[in-house]
Amino acid sequence: MNAPRDDKTIILAEDVEKWFGHFQALKGISTTVGRGEVVVIVGPSGSGKSTFIRTINRLERHDKGRIVVDGIELTDDISNIERIRSEIGMVFQSFNLFPHLTVLDNITLAPRHARRWPKPKAEEKAAQLLDRVGIPEQVGKYPGQLSGGQQQRVAIARALAMEPRIMLFDEPTSALDPEMIKEVLDVMKELAGSGMTMVVITHEIGFAKEVGDRVLFFDGGLLVEEAPPAVFFSEPTTDRAKLFLSQIL
Amino acid sequence: MNGGGALPGDLERGVIAAGEEPVVEVAPRRPPLTPNEWIRRNLFSSWFNGVLTIVSGALVLFIGFRLLRFVFVSADWTVLKANLRVYMVGRFPQEDIWRVWAVAFFLAMLVGVSRGVLLPPSRTRRGAYVRAVVAVVAVGALVYLVESLLVWLLLAIAAALFAGGVAAGRRLGRRLVRPILIAWLLAFPVVVVLLSFGDVGADRWGGMLLNVIVAVAVIALSFPIGILLGLGRRSSLPAVSWFCVGFIELIRGVPLLTLLIFGRFVLILLLPPGLTFAQLVRAILMFTLFSSAYVAEILRGGLQGVPEGQYEAARALGLSTTRTMALVALPQALRSTIPPMIGHFISVFKDTSLLAALSFSDLLFTARRASQSFEFVGHQAEALLPAAFLFWVIAFSISRWSQRVETRLGVGER
């Protein structure tokens, strides 16, 4: 609970390991994320990047090492976990909106039931957020009636409704048609500009160059390279990063 | 919940593909077929189909003719006419029959309002035909069977309450959803009190009335119990999940009739002395245990259909396991299990005819007794068929209504 608190660092990972059965998905990841920093994670599929950000809000529990989020170490303590999770927003590749609830109810569900906000307060917040992501008119619709881009923007608003200090994005645009990618990236850029701490898995190089403070390159469960985007994309130092970039560029 | 394995990337892609916007293409309209063309295309498209059409057509005509001849010419429905009251209410005392009418009025209104709120008016021509046929058959049968003016008057009041309920439900619409739910929750106690306060014991209930009461009680009790069992089965506490699995598998492995006989003859020996229930309560108890196990299994299927991503999204938002279940998983699972759930409840209703095997004077028992009376020797069919027909009418109506409610609920979701 009272781990030494460094005001600049919001996420600290120390030698994090994770196994799925006999498969080791993370082979000792150590890094830090600063307050307000935008960190972009790239790497081939199966490199452990998704597993890593899922350990940050404990959708996966790490088997070894230490993760400290905003001064709180992640352990098996349940109340601890739920508190940390409500401080961390997460956006998924497949949106994962609740199909039985309207857009409004999707956004207000967690504030009302996990934060115990009164309904008017939660709905006011939802309206503000829908404005912010640019789809205030969709408030009464169901997720199934929206386009992929709109659904992902609702998912971002849903995560923001809990007023998180950190936002995790797990390939937020990979499931979208090309013409919808921009509308989601624009929302994310605006969010980065507002000073939100963000950890983003994406293959959108343009986004990484424009708003990323640092790029982490994962391969085979290892954090292979770590550099500012301008450096990483123009002159990667490792062979694996060169190979990866040659394949996606 | 289980911890979730390696990220199933392919699976997630599958989910997205299913959630994409539906592409609606309007097919070019074909000019309508002339009757001749229609017959040639649908009934005689090949030599073999032609033969099939003729043979099955002849069969339908033959059976239809025999059936109509039986109903209108050769059958003698005196046995039904003489026993109609018993079919409906068994040996319910005549001086207390107003209680049954009060219940009928109450339910007619409640069903009417529910229908008005839940179902849009049917505008299809086929729906109109079906309703016209139903109305003619019902009125025709009543004209033949009911002679008492008082009964006609009471029936008319019930019909008026139903129609009024539908109209009110349509006008007030969604605002009534909550009052209706509360009314349905109160309906069962109200009905039981109406039927039994004072001196009419449950042992005097019979006929259709008994089947309906038992079915409603069993459904009302087994739905929540089944949900608890289904959730308990997924519990991370081994004691809870083993108990639930054990209970469900035990009950599902035993024929219902065996359970009922157990309730009638054996249960009493296992209970501590002094703790006894009425026969009917024990029967309802056994029915409920049986039905709960099936509700739990149906729910399990529904819960399995909720994608892992839903649980992850809820957990990532900081919702507790209990809230994730109650607010995210359960509502989706219940919605997707409406069809099998209704199917199961229809089975429960039909299974109440097993009460006859325990010598409760339910509809089937009453009909059998009428068919065996000396007075009407040779008219077993006329005594038994109406009971079967009544069961079918009720089961079929529930099925049709539930289909339309389901279509209505599904609009715009998923």
Side-chain angles (χ1 to χ4, degrees), chain A residues 20 50 54 57-60 82 85-86 88 90 92-101 109-110 113-114 116 142 144-147 151 158-159 162 170 174-175, chain B residues 3-7 9 12-13 15-16 19-22 308-321 323 327-329 331-332 335 411-414:
Chain A
F20 294 114
S50 188
R54 289 158 62 89
N57 67 350
R58 214 171 176 73
L59 282 184
E60 307 289 357
E82 276 161 16
R85 278 183 183 149
S86 56
I88 305 177
M90 184 158 194
F92 300 87
Q93 182 181 0
S94 48
F95 327 138
N96 294 351
L97 292 178
F98 305 129
H100 62 299
L101 299 177
L109 185 77
H113 292 99
R116 301 239 157 249
Y142 287 93
Q145 297 169 303
L146 304 181
S147 74
Q151 288 192 49
R158 177 177 71 173
M162 291 294 280
D170 190 354
S174 303
Chain B
L7 190 73
E12 290 205 351
R13 277 177 200 282
V15 173
I16 303 147
E20 271 170 6
E21 291 236 290
E308 184 63 28
Q310 294 288 310
Y311 294 102
E312 285 186 353
R315 280 194 293 160
L317 284 166
L319 291 170
S320 64
T321 311
R323 293 211 179 93
L327 300 168
V328 176
Q332 295 184 52
R335 184 162 311 205
V411 173
E413 294 162 43
R414 260 204 203 260

Side-chain angles (χ1 to χ4, degrees), chain A residues 128-202:
Chain A
Q128 284 170 14
L129 288 168
L130 283 175
D131 257 345
R132 188 168 172 191
V133 300
I135 40 173
E137 71 285 359
Q138 309 291 356
V139 61
K141 292 210 180 145
Y142 287 93
Q145 297 169 303
L146 304 181
S147 74
Q150 290 169 334
Q151 288 192 49
Q152 195 60 300
R153 287 191 277 164
V154 173
I156 294 173
R158 177 177 71 173
L160 289 176
M162 291 294 280
E163 301 184 333
R165 300 186 195 178
I166 303 168
M167 285 286 284
L168 307 176
F169 293 84
D170 190 354
E171 303 206 26
T173 56
S174 303
L176 295 174
D177 291 334
E179 73 269 23
M180 292 170 185
I181 290 177
K182 184 176 175 297
E183 65 188 51
V184 172
L185 290 181
D186 285 346
V187 170
M188 290 168 62
K189 284 174 191 167
E190 187 270 327
L191 195 57
S194 76
M196 175 67 75
T197 308
M198 291 164 64
V199 180
V200 184
I201 299 177
T202 186

Side-chain angles (χ1 to χ4, degrees), chain B residues 185-360:
Chain B
L185 286 179
L186 291 177
F188 192 66
V190 167
V191 166
V192 169
V193 169
L194 263 179
L195 287 178
S196 58
F197 81 89
D199 51 355
V200 188
D203 53 325
R204 306 289 299 271
W205 301 348
M208 189 85 241
L209 178 70
L210 184 64
N211 293 88
V212 171
I213 287 181
V214 171
V216 172
V218 169
I219 291 167
L221 291 170
S222 67
F223 186 60
I225 296 176
I227 288 177
L228 289 179
L229 279 172
L231 294 177
R233 185 174 186 147
R234 290 173 63 109
S235 168
S236 50
L237 303 171
V240 174
S241 72
W242 289 353
F243 170 80
C244 292
V245 171
F247 177 86
I248 292 167
E249 295 305 332
L250 180 72
I251 297 291
R252 288 205 315 152
V254 179
L256 176 53
L257 186 54
T258 318
L259 278 179
L260 292 172
I261 292 172
F262 176 87
R264 173 131 196 165
F265 300 110
V266 187
L267 191 60
I268 204 89
L269 304 175
L270 302 180
L271 291 173
L275 183 64
T276 53
F277 301 109
Q279 291 282 2
L280 188 62
V281 173
R282 275 185 277 153
I284 289 176
L285 181 72
M286 296 324 274
F287 265 121
T288 301
L289 294 183
F290 179 80
S291 172
S292 306
Y294 280 87
V295 169
E297 279 302 281
I298 293 170
L299 183 68
R300 181 165 75 114
L303 285 172
Q304 277 170 355
V306 177
E308 184 63 28
Q310 294 288 310
Y311 294 102
E312 285 186 353
R315 280 194 293 160
L317 284 166
L319 291 170
S320 64
T321 311
T322 317
R323 293 211 179 93
T324 299
M325 192 45 88
L327 300 168
V328 176
L330 194 57
Q332 295 184 52
L334 285 178
R335 184 162 311 205
S336 67
T337 51
I338 291 175
M341 209 65 97
I342 297 289
H344 168 66
F345 289 150
I346 290 174
S347 300
V348 167
F349 171 66
K350 291 186 295 177
D351 286 345
T352 58
S353 60
L354 286 171
L355 287 169
L358 303 181
S359 303
F360 288 101

Side-chain angles (χ1 to χ4, degrees), chain A residues 12 56 64 74 93 119 127 134 146 152 155 158 167 175-176 201 217 233 238:
Chain A
L12 166 77
I56 296 173
K64 243 187 99 183
L74 300 195
Q93 182 181 0
K119 196 172 168 183
L146 304 181
Q152 195 60 300
R158 177 177 71 173
M167 285 286 284
L176 295 174
I201 299 177
F217 173 65
F233 289 111
T238 57

